[in-house]
Amino acid sequence: MKYALWALIIFYSFSVSFSARQVKKKILFFGDSITEQGAKPGGYIRQLDTLLEKKAISRKYDLLGAGIGGNKVYDLYLRMDSDVLAKNPEVVVIWIGVNDVWHKRSLGTGTDADKFEKFYHAIIRKLKEKNITVYLCTPATIGEKFDSTNELDGDLNKYSVIIRSIAAKNSCPVIDFRKYFSDNIKANNPDNKDRGVLTTDGVHLNARGNQLVA
């Protein structure tokens, strides 16, 4: 009887330890159509999955996409409960801002800088209340000309500065895609094309763009 009891205790301890090792850290990518496409085959989230597999650490992470086309910062705020908090992630990567800038010019429905900053702070505050680690991403590009003649370069740079400032105030790491894309385009766009280097249309990622982001 004593040996059977010890066997059960050892088996239970092993089972609990094994189960604990199998729990994956949830990393959720929260954004617009770029993130939505990133969760599809060939997208940056799926490419990141592949990179983790090559490093033999994919079993430690569960990568989740929560992107919806056309979203701006206030759309993210409005769907946080259902699309983020309900999934209980440990880490959230926020990539928003392109539509807040782009839609001002194309649709007249963008987001003014002061409102952008307020909504962004509100999102971070809500995530941190749940002890979620938050990463912020600057918007990459709207047009790929390297000589600062893309129509919305000025606004993109302005909103990127705002995001860096928000990150500093909230002690959040920044993934500075604005800088990474600008540097890469300068190095790989000798003809000063407005698309086709890292994007299909000046905004949405092609294969090389997804690879760079991953």
Side-chain angles (χ1 to χ4, degrees), residues 142-154 157 178 182 185-186 192:
I142 303 174
E144 295 192 72
K145 294 181 179 180
F146 67 78
D147 59 354
S148 300
T149 60
N150 300 300
E151 187 179 10
L152 296 173
D153 277 344
N157 292 334
R178 182 68 184 146
S182 296
I185 288 167
K186 285 178 184 176
N192 204 32

Side-chain angles (χ1 to χ4, degrees), residues 88-130:
N88 298 311
E90 283 81 14
V91 178
V92 171
V93 181
I94 303 172
W95 194 7
I96 200 69
V98 161
N99 292 326
D100 299 273
V101 172
W102 195 16
H103 289 185
K104 282 185 185 181
R105 193 65 52 90
S106 62
L107 299 173
T109 59
T111 310
D112 292 337
D114 60 335
K115 292 180 181 177
F116 181 84
E117 186 168 2
K118 287 177 182 177
F119 273 106
Y120 217 133
H121 277 296
I123 290 170
I124 295 171
R125 186 163 55 248
K126 202 165 183 178
L127 294 172
K128 289 206 164 190
E129 285 173 356
K130 300 293 185 180

Side-chain angles (χ1 to χ4, degrees), residues 146-165:
F146 67 78
D147 59 354
S148 300
T149 60
N150 300 300
E151 187 179 10
L152 296 173
D153 277 344
D155 277 350
L156 272 185
N157 292 334
K158 176 181 178 180
Y159 281 60
S160 294
V161 169
I162 291 171
I163 291 170
R164 295 182 195 113
S165 174

Side-chain angles (χ1 to χ4, degrees), residues 4 37 39 43 53 73 78 101 117 143 154 177 180 207:
Q37 293 177 11
E53 287 176 8
V73 69
L78 292 173
V101 172
E117 186 168 2
F177 288 130
Y180 302 153

Side-chain angles (χ1 to χ4, degrees), residues 95 98 138-150 153 156-157 176-206 208-210 212-213:
W95 194 7
V98 161
T138 54
T141 187
I142 303 174
E144 295 192 72
K145 294 181 179 180
F146 67 78
D147 59 354
S148 300
T149 60
N150 300 300
D153 277 344
L156 272 185
N157 292 334
D176 201 346
F177 288 130
R178 182 68 184 146
K179 182 180 188 305
Y180 302 153
F181 271 64
S182 296
D183 290 347
N184 191 284
I185 288 167
K186 285 178 184 176
N188 295 287
N189 188 14
D191 298 323
N192 204 32
K193 297 184 294 184
D194 68 345
R195 65 192 65 194
V197 182
L198 298 172
T199 75
T200 59
D201 58 1
V203 173
H204 297 94
L205 307 179
N206 61 18
R208 286 189 60 216
N210 276 295
L212 175 63
V213 170

